[in-house]
Amino acid sequence: MEAIRQLFWASRPISWINTAYPFAATYLLVAQAFDATFVLGTLFFLIPYNLLMYGINDVFDYESDLRNPRKGGIEGALLAPKWHRLTIWAAVLTCLPFVAYLLLVGNPASTGWLLLVLFTVVAYSAKGLRFKERPFIDSLTSAAHFVGPMVFAAALAGADLADPKLLALIAAFGLWGIASHAFGAVQDVRADREANIDSIATKTGARFTTRFAFVAYLLAGLLLLAVGEYASWVAIAAIPYLVVVGRYWNITDETCETANRGWKRFIWLNFFAGFVVTQFVIVVAIESGAV
């Protein structure tokens, strides 16, 4: 039971919905089908995918996590070394049957996207790659973890990935993810520098990174407005993020830890954003005849 508990917390259950929802909503809207692929794909991005993503992170970040007071709760597990091997094996083995199925029912485009998404998940944390320690690439890769399921679902359902509206939605979601990662890195500037860990925030400083995140959120909202129709509703969800990040406009490296209060608000704001997106999905699904 202790092993299951460790794996459960290593998978960040509070974040499961953040990866499962983009796949489920996109597949439902594009394929207009509630089938086995929808169910299995959603289950994959709900739990195994998160265990792979966060479990690998906890294993390779253990030494730095020991110095980070935020670890050990909903903001990240502190996984003891005795659980590292189990976590890696559990992550790989739980993913395998789902990945095999999704590759089997997929097409060349969806296969390529799924393999790319899985690569970014591993490359972000794994020794020898460590994209999380490459400034700007760290935010881009982190965003791919959440945008990837959306793009994969669209490709799997046969969507035209060159469609301007779809590209705008993908870009908006990508900017949203980049902004979230960048602002999340601000609170760890001093801790990461002490541990010799590079990030977008240690490279450019807390203030620049915060303002970068603000602009990225703003551009995401404006892109959604440009798409028009029901996507404009989703732009409303960007406003609270702008308010929260804007409060730290003049933050310094010395006061970087104060950004943790804003980051904690993000955890709950994500549910608000999810509610807004859900309304968009429901209306579009009804009008398209998917439900």
Side-chain angles (χ1 to χ4, degrees), residues 55-101:
I56 289 176
N57 183 260
D58 287 343
V59 168
F60 287 99
D61 281 11
Y62 178 70
E63 293 299 326
S64 61
D65 285 350
L66 283 173
R67 305 182 183 92
N68 194 329
R70 295 195 300 112
K71 300 301 181 178
I74 63 173
E75 294 184 67
L78 186 59
L79 198 65
K82 68 177 182 178
W83 301 113
H84 288 183
R85 183 181 295 273
L86 171 66
T87 301
I88 295 296
W89 275 108
V92 172
L93 292 178
T94 55
C95 284
L96 275 178
F98 291 96
V99 172
Y101 173 83

Side-chain angles (χ1 to χ4, degrees), residues 183 186 205-218 241-253 255 258-259:
F183 184 66
V186 169
R207 182 173 296 175
F208 176 90
T209 306
T210 297
R211 294 178 179 182
F212 172 80
F214 183 93
V215 171
Y217 277 126
L218 180 61
Y241 291 85
L242 291 171
V243 172
V244 170
V245 175
R247 294 181 61 186
Y248 300 93
W249 188 260
N250 291 315
I251 196 171
T252 65
D253 291 358
T255 61
T258 61

Side-chain angles (χ1 to χ4, degrees), residues 20-255:
Y21 190 86
F23 172 85
T26 304
Y27 186 85
L28 180 63
L29 287 178
V30 178
Q32 298 188 17
F34 190 88
D35 54 15
T37 299
F38 171 85
V39 173
L40 292 175
T42 301
L43 285 175
F44 168 65
F45 285 109
L46 185 71
I47 302 176
Y49 179 80
N50 280 288
L51 179 58
L52 180 69
M53 176 164 58
Y54 293 118
I56 289 176
N57 183 260
D58 287 343
V59 168
F60 287 99
D61 281 11
Y62 178 70
E63 293 299 326
S64 61
D65 285 350
L66 283 173
R67 305 182 183 92
N68 194 329
R70 295 195 300 112
K71 300 301 181 178
I74 63 173
E75 294 184 67
L78 186 59
L79 198 65
K82 68 177 182 178
W83 301 113
H84 288 183
R85 183 181 295 273
L86 171 66
T87 301
I88 295 296
W89 275 108
V92 172
L93 292 178
T94 55
C95 284
L96 275 178
F98 291 96
V99 172
Y101 173 83
L102 293 171
L103 292 176
L104 182 65
V105 300
N107 53 63
S110 67
T111 294
W113 280 108
L114 181 58
L115 294 178
L116 178 61
V117 169
L118 293 174
F119 170 75
T120 64
V121 165
V122 174
Y124 184 77
S125 302
K127 185 178 180 180
L129 294 170
R130 298 291 288 177
F131 282 10
K132 69 170 293 176
E133 292 192 48
R134 304 184 184 206
F136 291 99
I137 292 178
D138 54 352
S139 292
L140 181 62
T141 307
S142 177
H145 296 162
F146 305 95
V147 181
M150 172 188 176
V151 180
F152 167 67
L156 185 63
D160 178 9
L161 297 181
D163 178 79
K165 286 188 177 182
L166 179 57
L167 286 175
L169 291 172
I170 292 172
F173 193 15
L175 285 167
W176 206 296
I178 288 170
S180 295
H181 176 274
F183 184 66
V186 169
Q187 61 197 319
D188 294 328
V189 166
R190 293 205 299 178
D192 283 349
R193 282 180 177 160
E194 290 174 4
N196 294 316
I197 296 176
D198 289 328
S199 73
I200 183 175
T202 60
K203 181 72 172 180
T204 65
R207 182 173 296 175
F208 176 90
T209 306
T210 297
R211 294 178 179 182
F212 172 80
F214 183 93
V215 171
Y217 277 126
L218 180 61
L219 290 175
L222 292 175
L223 265 176
L224 291 170
L225 286 174
V227 171
E229 299 176 351
Y230 298 114
S232 299
W233 296 4
V234 184
I236 297 172
I239 296 175
Y241 291 85
L242 291 171
V243 172
V244 170
V245 175
R247 294 181 61 186
Y248 300 93
W249 188 260
N250 291 315
I251 196 171
T252 65
D253 291 358
E254 290 69 31
T255 61

